[in-house]
Amino acid sequence: MYAQGCMKRPGTLAAIAALTSVAGLLATTARADDSSDAAAPANGRAPATEPLAAPPPSGHAYIQYGVALAAETVVSSGAICAGLPNCIFGSGGGLVVRVGWRPNDNFFIGGIYEISKQDPDQLYRLGILQQLRAEGRRYFATGREVTPFLLVGAGVAAYGNEWTVDTWGPTATLGGGIEVELGGPVLLLQAAYRPMYFHSWDVSGTELGSGIVHFVGLDIAVEAKDRL
């Protein structure tokens, strides 16, 4: 009876109608918000947490060339210095001249001439190590200014007093490094393991046997790129 009485009052009916209208408006707004969220990916709007993709390699070819400061550290002189009080192969450093072809951003193929003064432990007046190598780099694009790479190479090496060639042999290179964009030229930092085989030779009446000298090489280079 009380409910019927309330339903007959105009104020009660108006309040019920107002509440019903507000509830319908809230439901319609919620459905619209859900529809907008579901349609966002279809409109091509990527989530804020989507990772940056590395850019595709450039199709442009370059001539890349430069100079470097190099350190050639002897890890082991092998059988060459075995049983001798002095070792003719010691660590040293020098300069590198490098020029090569870069068909795209991912690869480099080049030629290297390196000359370094090694410590001959007074067996030479001036121990000079010369290297002529072919090297290749495989870059891994990151989309940033710093790009890592792997390094492989092969060539020949010669060693002697001053500019003479007293012994020579093949050499190989395996290493890696990073290339840093400088807004034109690039800065390279690389390290490599480099074994070198040398034939036997005579030094001041002392016969030195053949063997493999194990080096670790470090390069700091500045190189320019000219587009072909």
Side-chain angles (χ1 to χ4, degrees):
M1 295 296 293
Y2 177 78
Q4 292 179 357
C6 290
M7 293 295 293
K8 292 180 181 179
R9 297 176 184 176
T12 302
L13 293 176
I16 293 174
L19 291 174
T20 303
S21 299
V22 170
L25 179 61
L26 291 176
T28 302
T29 303
R31 286 195 300 268
D33 291 342
D34 292 341
S35 300
S36 300
D37 293 340
N43 293 335
R45 296 165 60 185
T49 58
E50 182 179 352
L52 291 175
S58 171
H60 303 306
Y62 296 88
I63 294 293
Q64 187 164 330
Y65 55 92
V67 295
L69 294 175
E72 294 289 355
T73 302
V74 177
V75 178
S76 172
S77 58
I80 294 178
C81 294
L84 298 177
N86 299 330
C87 184
I88 201 168
F89 271 111
S91 301
L95 294 174
V96 179
V97 178
R98 181 182 287 110
V99 61
W101 174 54
R102 192 153 176 186
N104 53 50
D105 289 342
N106 290 339
F107 295 97
F108 170 88
I109 302 172
I112 293 91
Y113 173 69
E114 178 179 338
I115 179 173
S116 58
K117 177 186 177 299
Q118 306 298 130
D119 180 11
D121 201 4
Q122 299 181 353
L123 296 176
Y124 277 155
R125 180 180 178 182
L126 187 64
I128 297 295
L129 175 65
Q130 302 179 67
Q131 300 179 57
L132 187 62
R133 307 191 304 265
E135 290 185 352
R137 303 178 195 143
R138 172 60 168 95
Y139 290 88
F140 300 92
T142 61
R144 303 179 183 276
E145 290 79 8
V146 179
T147 305
F149 62 85
L150 292 178
L151 172 70
V152 295
V156 293
Y159 189 58
N161 186 27
E162 297 180 338
W163 295 99
T164 61
V165 177
D166 294 334
T167 183
W168 67 278
T171 178
T173 298
L174 178 63
I178 59 173
E179 181 179 276
V180 183
E181 290 286 345
L182 300 178
V186 293
L187 174 68
L188 277 88
L189 305 174
Q190 69 179 41
Y193 164 63
R194 193 169 291 126
M196 302 182 193
Y197 175 84
F198 291 99
H199 298 282
S200 61
W201 79 104
D202 181 83
V203 178
S204 301
T206 302
E207 183 72 18
L208 299 180
S210 61
I212 299 176
V213 182
H214 303 269
F215 291 85
V216 171
L218 300 174
D219 281 14
I220 302 177
V222 176
E223 297 182 1
K225 296 190 294 184
D226 290 344
R227 181 174 172 179
L228 296 176

